[in-house]
Amino acid sequence: MSKIGFIGLGIMGRPMAGHLLDAGHEIITVEHGSAIPRELADKGARVAANPKAVAEQAEVVITMVPDTPDVELVLFGENGVVEGLKPGTLVIDMSSIAPIATQGFAKRIHEAGGEYVDAPVSGGEGGAINAALTIMVGATQEGFERARPILEVMGKTITHIGGHGAGQTCKVANQIVVALTIEAVAEGLLFASKAGADVAKVRESLLGGLAQSKILDVHGERMIKRTFDPGFKIKLHQKDLNLALEGARSLNLALPGTANAQQLFQACVAHGGENWDHAGILRALEALADHEVGS
């Protein structure tokens, strides 16, 4: 069993760290303005003063924070991980951040004597709670083999995509597909509702045909029941689509569907919805239609 530093105990990180504790690993973390979750403390999670102190005690350091600047601050800021890094320490970033920045982070960790793995996840809060995440890995072959036993505690589908940054590239692609599929489900249910059909029965029927998807299953139900507590927050999906659109510009690539989904998310934010679940994209479409699904 390993001594694992786990930094980032939010909606996703909390259950992920819990699975590692249940598997017999030690967890060292840091407090961010509030005490660590009681369920983790009861299982033996310990607190260090800062990321440097975490790294000094850990064989593996996992980061699960919101955005690229957050990862950079944790790893390379004052009292950051790199200051306490021991030779051979495995650093696994499971956040969803910029692929090019990831390549730079990997280089800096390597130069400091560590091994870097980017391993962003898909599956949302439910996947984290059920240890059923899909994990997309960018690493050397050695880094992947070292990280795999730890990742297997938290996920079911673990794929070595390629070198450093490849995991993050895959995650950006994932977020494009997810956003456009959520938008498609919302448009389909809105159309059915406006036409006078029973949207619950429409969803039930669609789940038996070619339109079937996990998003239609999970987020379609959210839309019908109007349960927009996250889940996965709109502001975080916006961040991921920004990465997609910035990357598209650098590649001289057009992503019109992605740009449209981003505008609908922005409309939600304009109505106070930055912390809604991303299924809340329905609300932007409802405002355009002057019709609420199920009404």
Side-chain angles (χ1 to χ4, degrees):
M1 296 296 105
S2 300
K3 292 182 179 179
I4 299 175
F6 200 111
I7 300 173
L9 300 176
I11 289 174
M12 301 287 288
R14 180 185 299 193
M16 291 163 68
H19 294 312
L20 292 169
L21 285 163
D22 291 340
H25 297 287
E26 295 183 41
I27 292 291
I28 309 114
T29 188
V30 293
E31 292 183 359
H32 288 283
S34 60
I36 65 171
R38 178 63 181 271
E39 67 266 25
L40 299 184
D42 287 348
K43 292 178 180 181
R46 297 186 285 112
V47 176
N50 49 50
K52 174 185 175 182
V54 170
E56 288 171 340
Q57 301 175 55
E59 304 159 73
V60 179
V61 176
I62 296 174
T63 52
M64 186 61 175
V65 294
D67 203 349
T68 307
D70 303 299
V71 176
E72 185 170 22
L73 181 63
V74 167
L75 295 181
F76 307 111
E78 184 178 359
N79 291 316
V81 165
V82 75
E83 294 184 20
L85 201 68
K86 301 187 297 292
T89 299
L90 180 63
V91 177
I92 307 173
D93 177 39
M94 304 189 76
S95 320
S96 297
I97 66 169
I100 293 175
T102 291
Q103 293 171 0
F105 296 165
K107 184 174 184 291
R108 293 169 71 179
I109 291 295
H110 177 75
E111 290 171 347
E115 179 79 47
Y116 191 91
V117 172
D118 52 287
V121 306
S122 180
E125 183 182 14
I129 290 170
N130 296 313
L133 293 167
T134 293
I135 305 177
M136 312 155 206
V137 183
T140 64
Q141 189 61 40
E142 178 184 357
F144 175 65
E145 294 301 335
R146 287 184 62 192
R148 180 159 53 181
I150 294 168
L151 301 178
E152 286 174 344
V153 175
M154 299 176 281
K156 283 189 175 178
T157 303
I158 299 158
T159 307
H160 186 193
I161 305 297
H164 296 126
Q168 295 295 352
T169 296
C170 184
K171 179 58 188 288
V172 171
N174 178 84
Q175 295 303 81
I176 292 170
V177 173
V178 169
L180 270 63
T181 308
I182 290 175
E183 181 187 350
V185 169
E187 289 191 12
L189 295 182
L190 181 63
F191 171 80
S193 178
K194 182 76 172 181
D198 183 326
V199 288
K201 291 182 178 178
V202 168
R203 170 179 165 274
E204 180 183 351
S205 179
L206 294 179
L207 283 170
L210 190 59
Q212 191 279 332
S213 71
K214 188 170 184 179
I215 287 172
L216 177 61
D217 184 10
V218 175
H219 291 82
E221 183 176 39
R222 279 182 178 271
M223 292 171 189
I224 292 168
K225 292 184 176 180
R226 312 197 68 75
T227 53
F228 297 118
D229 294 334
F232 187 73
K233 295 179 181 179
I234 280 176
K235 67 179 180 182
L236 293 178
H237 208 146
Q238 277 193 299
K239 176 261 299 181
D240 294 337
L241 294 191
N242 280 337
L243 295 176
L245 294 169
E246 288 166 7
R249 280 192 292 272
S250 70
L251 295 168
N252 196 27
L253 177 68
L255 298 177
T258 303
N260 187 59
Q262 184 73 308
Q263 288 299 305
L264 290 169
F265 280 142
Q266 186 56 39
C268 292
V269 172
H271 287 83
E274 67 175 10
N275 292 316
W276 295 343
D277 184 84
H278 50 177
I281 200 171
L282 172 70
R283 289 183 167 183
L285 293 166
E286 289 176 331
L288 291 171
D290 192 26
H291 176 83
E292 186 174 291
V293 164
S295 64

